[in-house]
Amino acid sequence: MEKSKELLITHLFDAPQELVFNAWTDPEKLQHWYAPSGCTIAFKWINAVQGGGFHSCIHDPVHGDCWIIGDYLEAKFPEKLVFTMTLSNERGEVVNANAASKPEDWPQTIITTVTFEPVGNQTKLTLHQTVDEAQAKNTGAYQSWFSMFDRLQMILTQK
């Protein structure tokens, strides 16, 4: 059986590596860019350090709330973040895809690995998620990363 292709995206930010990394771990910054277009994100709590975690909710006016709980498996400033994203409910209890208003075959837990590499005064970001790329494209998750990256770039260049 052929293994499906997992989601892999690279993006070049016009900002230093440390600034881009901090935008992924600072709750104040995350709430301004880390949600699909038309949605907002709120964190019940977040501790973006290795061994820490988070409990967040994406508020989608069309599909409703999507609660996620996660663990930071690795947080190596300013080079790498590895974290889990598990479907949950408001109380932080793990739920299946149907209960989270996701497609039935959406994985209950996704591991996200983000690396930050300096390229002159810019930063090359590489994002890998343990989700089938074709499925991510069908649900819009893949496309959402690009609109989020556009918002992140605006935040990074604000004076």
Side-chain angles (χ1 to χ4, degrees):
M1 181 176 186
E2 186 176 320
K3 185 178 180 194
S4 64
K5 181 179 175 187
E6 293 182 335
L7 184 69
L8 181 66
I9 298 173
T10 59
H11 190 86
L12 189 63
F13 286 96
D14 190 19
Q17 178 187 25
E18 294 80 5
L19 206 58
V20 179
F21 183 93
N22 282 336
W24 281 77
T25 57
D26 180 340
E28 173 61 27
K29 289 186 175 69
L30 280 168
Q31 71 179 342
H32 293 291
W33 71 268
Y34 193 68
S37 291
C39 301
T40 59
I41 189 168
F43 289 91
K44 266 193 152 179
W45 59 271
I46 181 170
N47 185 15
V49 298
Q50 189 164 322
F54 66 92
H55 188 199
S56 66
C57 181
I58 301 281
H59 303 285
D60 184 324
V62 176
H63 301 290
D65 290 346
C66 180
W67 289 90
I68 301 287
I69 193 161
D71 297 309
Y72 286 94
L73 306 176
E74 189 174 346
K76 184 177 180 185
F77 177 84
E79 301 165 7
K80 188 176 185 182
L81 281 175
V82 181
F83 55 95
T84 62
M85 301 171 66
T86 301
L87 300 173
S88 74
N89 60 23
E90 187 174 0
R91 293 180 299 280
E93 300 162 341
V94 175
V95 299
N96 63 30
N98 285 339
S101 302
K102 293 286 189 187
E104 190 172 297
D105 55 348
W106 190 260
Q108 190 173 54
T109 297
I110 295 172
I111 297 174
T112 301
T113 302
V114 187
T115 58
F116 308 83
E117 179 184 339
V119 180
N121 291 330
Q122 298 177 310
T123 301
K124 177 184 172 187
L125 180 142
T126 302
L127 180 139
H128 172 255
Q129 287 192 305
T130 57
V131 63
D132 180 70
E133 183 179 270
Q135 187 179 24
K137 286 180 177 177
N138 287 339
T139 63
Y142 177 87
Q143 297 85 340
S144 291
W145 281 113
F146 297 102
S147 64
M148 289 190 288
F149 289 163
D150 288 346
R151 284 198 305 277
L152 175 55
Q153 181 62 62
M154 288 177 36
I155 291 168
L156 292 170
T157 55
Q158 287 177 345
K159 300 281 180 195

